[in-house]
Amino acid sequence: NNNSIIVVYDNLGIYSSTRVWWMFKTMGHKNVFVLNGGFPGWLENGFPTEEKQTQQFEKGNFKVQFHSENVKDFDFIKTNLNNSNQIVIDARSSGRFNGTAPEPREGLRSGSIPNSFNIPYGDVLENGKFKSKEVLKAIFSKINPENKELIYSCGSGLTACIILLASELVLPNKTSVYDGSWTEWSQIEK
């Protein structure tokens, strides 16, 4: 429903839950949150669990209100490569970003989008949870974000959402995701 509070979690701590969170926000749901530490963190704290149950629910009243500003496409990124008001931040490993490690997708070349910065998603996590706000601030200060729009990328749009949420915990900047990410960029821009 439009007024539902949604808490998203996954079995790896922080991983795919951030993509689900971002999708809900992009589709206009306001009350959506990520459980820091996910299911492993829940168990670690001894909170109650239950066996899977089959439940029937009435159809909700949620109405999509797509926030197109949350999504950037190839043309936007290419047109704004030298825009000093925006920063593209790539969540892949530094080896993949620098082109020194192979891409896991067969036939995909290595490298990075021109003028982009690298913050590997693992750098903002510790034991399946986000690092402290002080540490996150220090990580993002290295790219000098000032009042710039931060556009997140990765291999396919999943781990970009991890560093996007990490930045939203400590920065007021406008954020978005280049959804095609490196998979799209590397195949179109040769």
Side-chain angles (χ1 to χ4, degrees):
N1 288 307
N2 288 322
N3 65 349
S4 294
I5 296 173
I6 299 172
V7 178
V8 185
Y9 62 93
D10 61 56
N11 65 347
L12 297 175
I14 295 291
Y15 193 69
S16 59
S17 56
T18 58
R19 175 65 183 202
V20 174
W21 164 83
W22 176 80
M23 289 293 299
F24 270 110
K25 286 183 58 148
T26 299
M27 295 302 158
H29 203 288
K30 294 179 179 22
N31 293 315
V32 59
F33 305 90
V34 171
L35 181 62
N36 195 14
F39 195 59
W42 185 266
L43 293 174
E44 183 181 293
N45 283 292
F47 295 134
T49 61
E50 64 183 13
E51 293 297 317
K52 180 181 175 182
Q53 298 179 14
T54 303
Q55 298 179 5
Q56 297 290 326
F57 295 98
E58 289 183 33
K59 185 176 179 182
N61 67 4
F62 177 68
K63 299 287 184 212
V64 170
Q65 295 177 346
F66 180 58
H67 291 269
S68 61
E69 69 277 7
N70 290 359
V71 184
K72 300 299 187 244
D73 63 13
F74 175 86
D75 291 332
F76 181 92
I77 299 297
K78 184 162 175 77
T79 302
N80 290 283
L81 283 177
N82 298 309
N83 186 334
S84 61
N85 294 319
Q86 295 158 334
I87 301 174
V88 175
I89 304 168
D90 192 318
R92 294 175 301 145
S93 69
S94 16
R96 289 173 64 195
F97 180 84
N98 294 321
T100 58
E103 282 294 317
R105 290 170 186 82
E106 188 177 330
L108 203 61
R109 67 184 171 93
S110 297
S112 55
I113 297 169
N115 300 322
S116 60
F117 290 86
N118 184 221
I119 299 178
Y121 77 89
D123 288 1
V124 301
L125 300 174
E126 186 170 24
N127 299 319
K129 298 178 183 173
F130 284 109
K131 291 183 176 178
S132 72
K133 288 185 177 182
E134 294 76 27
V135 172
L136 293 176
K137 283 180 187 176
I139 289 169
F140 287 102
S141 71
K142 295 175 186 173
I143 61 164
N144 196 21
E146 298 170 351
N147 294 320
K148 299 173 184 173
E149 178 179 8
L150 306 177
I151 304 169
Y152 293 94
S153 176
C154 58
S156 61
L158 178 72
T159 58
C161 297
I162 295 172
I163 56 174
L164 183 149
L165 178 52
S167 75
E168 287 199 1
L169 293 172
V170 296
L171 298 173
N173 301 57
K174 181 179 176 187
T175 61
S176 59
V177 170
Y178 168 33
D179 210 28
S181 285
W182 180 248
T183 299
E184 179 180 59
W185 182 270
S186 68
Q187 293 179 64
I188 297 174
E189 189 63 24
K190 305 250 181 207

